[in-house]
Amino acid sequence: WKVGVAANFVQGAVEVAFALIGPQIQRGVPIVALLTSLASIGFAFLLTGPLLDEFAKPMLSLVCIFIVFLGYFSGIKWGGVPTSVLVMVVGVVIGWGGAYLTPDNLKNELKNVKGYPGEFVIVDIFQHAGEVTPYIGLIIPVGLTVAVGTIQCVELARIAGDEYNIRWSMLGDGIATMVAACFGSVFGMTVFIGHPAFKAMGARVTYNALTAVTFLIVCYTGLSSVILGVVPIESLNPILLFVGIIVCCDTLNITPKRHFPAFILGLVPAVVNWTGQQAEAVLRAADSEKASRIDFQDPDQWRAWGPTMHGLFLLGSNYLVTSIVLCCMMIFIIDKRWDMAAFWSLIGGVCSIFGLMHNIKLGFWVKRKNFGWRFCVAYASCAILFMCLHLAQRYNLIAPPREKDDKFLDPDNDDLIDVTDEKPSITADHKFYDDDV
């Protein structure tokens, strides 16, 4: 635990360091690529994952899901009762009425209610700092992922009409993580991706303050288990489903039609990462003793299970960075900006050889059995191809860069999609639905 706390402290320091270059990353990466990788989290981890749990108990969950959808997508009013409150009440009624929750279970949960005072462990952090060194290769990519995630959330908030300083947001993540580690937390802090969704539900700054107070009360008293003993989790998950859908919708809202293929491609790495986690969970459930002897962070282990499983590891590792790079390459391929496609290919190669893509550990992956150098060669080969196209374009041997009003594929084919209709930004008073329309 103390090693984990020390690692969390170091991760916070890494996030603070990335805050220095946050604005440069924000300006240098196309917004569609930033938000697509964020949407991939919403699609895989907030929508797909919880939806599986919901469908395991359809009599309890299905009504709750569609109450949320009716309230937030159709604008149905419930006589002044907020949708989020109504869905919990319905969940409690069905949960207790259908014996999904029992008094005996609640009685056991009540035993966990007591004081849990914080513990100041900064001395222990420095005492165990040396034991964190073997995990630096994991900590830095995680810190990078959190930093990129914060940039994405700030961009999503800007699209929804709210401007936040990117550097201060990233510093807030890092400093909050370091402070939490000083009090024994192994969990890093980060900006939540649901800004537009909660704004659509009517949440404002006070919501954040109330959330913080609620977390303090629940965590210091052990009430979390009691809450889940009274309110079934299946009545809470639909809010996550809504957030996951809205994140994807808001990304599509600012994505030009011609870049839809890039959006779809950018979703894949997160879905693959989630699938890999499910594969690991299946193995642990089938044979926990055997699974305990397997190092799931070892790429050679995944390679031994065949090309499909190895591909799950390679494409799903550090999926946020992979999503951004692949999405950027696709965007510039569609726009026929071959020099920028080559540039992002080279970024993919550099990230691969140092373990920031297609691996979960930082390093210099150049040994014969490693795949880091292989991906580096592959991305470099793509860069060479794109630069050849760029030279041909400069000498007017192929078509010039695509303009905003081009057809999706072939200007001579009127049946294909016209991209002149750019999607508008979400205004400050944006709601997902509009009763007047």
Side-chain angles (χ1 to χ4, degrees):
W1 164 65
K2 291 179 179 179
V3 175
V5 170
N8 195 34
F9 186 88
V10 175
Q11 178 187 316
V14 171
E15 293 171 29
V16 170
F18 277 120
L20 300 176
I21 59 173
Q24 287 73 25
I25 297 175
Q26 185 183 31
R27 290 193 297 267
V29 181
I31 185 173
V32 172
L34 277 175
L35 296 189
T36 293
S37 56
L38 191 65
S40 71
I41 298 176
F43 182 79
F45 296 99
L46 297 184
L47 177 60
T48 306
L51 199 59
L52 297 185
D53 296 332
E54 294 292 284
F55 272 72
K57 298 178 181 178
M59 293 177 63
L60 170 61
S61 63
L62 217 55
V63 172
C64 295
I65 290 173
F66 283 100
I67 286 176
V68 170
F69 289 175
L70 286 169
Y72 295 136
F73 291 130
S74 294
I76 299 297
K77 307 300 182 184
W78 310 105
V81 179
T83 299
S84 56
V85 174
L86 177 64
V87 72
M88 284 193 293
V89 172
V90 171
V92 169
V93 171
I94 298 177
W96 285 92
Y100 292 99
L101 300 174
T102 62
D104 290 340
N105 181 60
L106 179 59
K107 188 183 298 184
N108 291 332
E109 300 296 354
L110 285 171
K111 297 177 182 178
N112 296 319
V113 179
K114 58 182 179 179
Y116 293 91
E119 183 178 352
F120 194 64
V121 294
I122 190 168
V123 175
D124 297 293
I125 288 176
F126 288 101
Q127 285 179 344
H128 292 81
E131 298 177 59
V132 176
T133 304
Y135 303 102
I136 289 295
L138 289 172
I139 294 171
I140 293 179
V142 171
L144 174 62
T145 299
V146 173
V148 171
T150 299
I151 296 172
Q152 295 165 328
C153 291
V154 170
E155 280 295 305
L156 196 61
R158 184 180 67 80
I159 298 295
D162 299 312
E163 294 277 354
Y164 296 95
N165 183 283
I166 182 64
R167 185 165 283 146
W168 279 109
S169 298
M170 297 176 73
L171 283 173
D173 277 349
I175 293 172
T177 297
M178 295 169 73
V179 171
C182 291
F183 287 90
S185 175
V186 295
F187 301 107
M189 304 293 109
T190 187
V191 178
F192 186 57
I193 71 173
H195 182 97
F198 287 109
K199 185 175 182 180
M201 288 188 278
R204 296 295 182 265
V205 173
T206 310
Y207 171 85
N208 266 356
L210 291 175
T211 300
V213 172
T214 303
F215 264 82
L216 281 174
I217 295 172
V218 169
C219 291
Y220 277 101
T221 58
L223 283 173
S224 57
S225 59
V226 176
I227 292 172
L228 292 178
V230 175
V231 182
I233 189 69
E234 289 79 11
S235 67
L236 304 176
N237 279 342
I239 302 296
L240 286 181
L241 304 182
F242 171 69
V243 173
I245 292 172
I246 287 296
V247 170
C248 294
C249 290
D250 284 344
T251 301
L252 281 172
N253 196 59
I254 58 96
T255 302
K257 289 181 180 178
R258 69 182 187 279
H259 290 159
F260 280 4
F263 171 79
I264 295 170
L265 179 64
L267 295 179
V268 175
V271 174
V272 169
N273 180 277
W274 177 84
T275 305
Q277 293 182 25
Q278 305 316 302
E280 180 180 338
V282 168
L283 183 56
R284 292 186 185 279
D287 191 340
S288 59
E289 183 178 349
K290 181 179 180 181
S292 64
R293 300 192 298 268
I294 297 174
D295 182 7
F296 288 99
Q297 297 179 356
D298 182 7
D300 291 333
Q301 180 62 71
W302 292 84
R303 187 178 183 181
W305 292 334
T308 300
M309 301 303 290
H310 193 209
L312 277 178
F313 178 87
L314 295 173
L315 184 56
S317 298
N318 278 328
Y319 60 91
L320 274 184
V321 179
T322 303
S323 175
I324 289 174
V325 170
L326 293 180
C327 193
C328 286
M329 290 173 65
M330 192 65 164
I331 286 171
F332 292 119
I333 287 172
I334 293 170
D335 290 345
K336 299 179 182 178
R337 295 182 60 187
W338 308 116
D339 54 341
M340 292 303 298
F343 172 74
W344 279 100
S345 297
L346 292 177
I347 288 181
V350 173
C351 288
S352 297
I353 203 166
F354 287 107
L356 293 174
M357 284 172 57
H358 311 304
N359 208 324
I360 56 176
K361 293 182 180 178
L362 201 65
F364 191 53
W365 302 101
V366 294
K367 292 183 179 180
R368 182 179 178 83
K369 70 174 184 176
N370 297 152
F371 269 70
W373 68 269
R374 301 180 191 216
F375 276 108
C376 184
V377 170
Y379 282 115
S381 301
C382 293
I384 293 172
L385 172 61
F386 296 143
M387 285 308 299
C388 290
L389 291 171
H390 176 63
L391 291 174
Q393 192 177 65
R394 289 191 63 180
Y395 288 100
N396 298 319
L397 298 176
I398 59 176
R402 190 183 303 280
E403 297 296 333
K404 192 166 63 174
D405 58 351
D406 278 350
K407 298 287 183 180
F408 181 66
L409 289 176
D410 184 356
D412 297 326
N413 187 345
D414 293 333
D415 294 331
L416 299 179
I417 300 173
D418 193 343
V419 297
T420 56
D421 182 20
E422 296 288 344
K423 294 284 186 178
S425 299
I426 306 169
T427 58
D429 59 349
H430 163 70
K431 288 186 178 180
F432 187 80
Y433 56 86
D434 188 344
D435 294 331
D436 297 326
V437 177

